[in-house]
Amino acid sequence: MVTMTEQRSVDRDRLKRIQDREEASYRSRTPRSAELHARARRALPLGVASSFQAYDPYPLFMTDARGSRIWDADGNRYIDFDMAFGVLAAGHSHPLLAEALQRRVANGTCYTFPVEDSILLAEELKRRFAADLVRFSNSGTEATMDAIRVARGYTGREKILKFEWPP
């Protein structure tokens, strides 16, 4: 009869073999991503532009995407389930969006002044989601700050409660 401790040891050994096999496969399929990550570590903290992109043994570096497919620097094709956390609802490189972006790039891409395009987009978002008003933000932090302002204004309260986990 196998004890619980012996079974756990067998399970750990089996999991370690699976992990080693999968990591070896990953490394053999992605040597260019490994090279790019080694280079990136000399220029970026953790070798990535944002900490959530860092994982062991190294992240995949992507080069191209169309629709729901994305390719890494080694030519491996994947289904992109992330879609930039939902931003790419129409998929990568949608022809209509690519055309609109080409027109926009030809006329400038970033102003510190309002543009008519923001009105058009806000009107469309209001129509689609029955929103009263729309606020655009450049980051999650900025969006959170706006949400806190609105909540404080609506409730009349000055303090907020923030939860963090793990402690």
Side-chain angles (χ1 to χ4, degrees):
M1 182 163 185
V2 177
T3 68
M4 185 69 95
T5 302
E6 292 170 328
Q7 184 61 47
R8 285 186 184 137
S9 178
V10 169
D11 290 344
R12 274 194 295 275
D13 291 344
R14 181 170 179 256
L15 289 172
K16 178 71 172 124
R17 286 193 307 275
I18 292 169
Q19 181 181 358
D20 290 346
R21 181 189 72 216
E22 292 302 314
E23 184 173 325
S25 173
Y26 180 88
R27 287 180 182 276
S28 71
R29 288 184 298 104
T30 60
R32 180 71 178 134
S33 283
E35 291 170 14
L36 290 169
H37 186 244
R39 178 178 159 202
R41 289 182 63 89
R42 295 189 297 271
L44 300 161
L46 301 175
V48 291
S50 183
S51 297
F52 81 88
Q53 297 171 332
Y55 55 87
D56 292 331
Y58 50 83
L60 295 172
F61 280 73
M62 299 301 169
T63 59
D64 193 33
R66 297 282 181 273
S68 64
R69 306 292 187 211
I70 191 165
W71 286 263
D72 68 18
D74 295 283
N76 299 303
R77 184 179 80 163
Y78 306 90
I79 296 173
D80 186 356
F81 290 104
D82 288 331
M83 286 295 173
F85 303 110
V87 172
L88 299 174
H92 293 279
S93 304
H94 190 283
L96 292 175
L97 295 175
E99 182 184 328
L101 286 170
Q102 285 177 337
R103 284 193 312 271
R104 171 47 47 208
V105 168
N107 293 311
T109 56
C110 186
Y111 309 128
T112 54
F113 299 93
V115 294
E116 184 179 2
D117 289 349
S118 63
I119 302 168
L120 297 170
L121 180 56
E123 290 170 341
E124 180 61 19
L125 290 171
K126 283 180 57 175
R127 184 190 69 75
R128 285 189 190 192
F129 300 105
D132 294 329
L133 295 172
V134 174
R135 168 71 75 186
F136 298 114
S137 61
N138 295 306
S139 67
T141 299
E142 187 178 324
T144 300
M145 291 183 341
D146 284 341
I148 289 170
R149 266 197 176 129
V150 169
R152 287 175 65 200
Y154 181 79
T155 64
R157 297 178 182 175
E158 292 194 20
K159 294 183 180 180
I160 64 163
L161 182 61
K162 177 182 174 186
F163 293 90
E164 289 188 19
W165 188 262

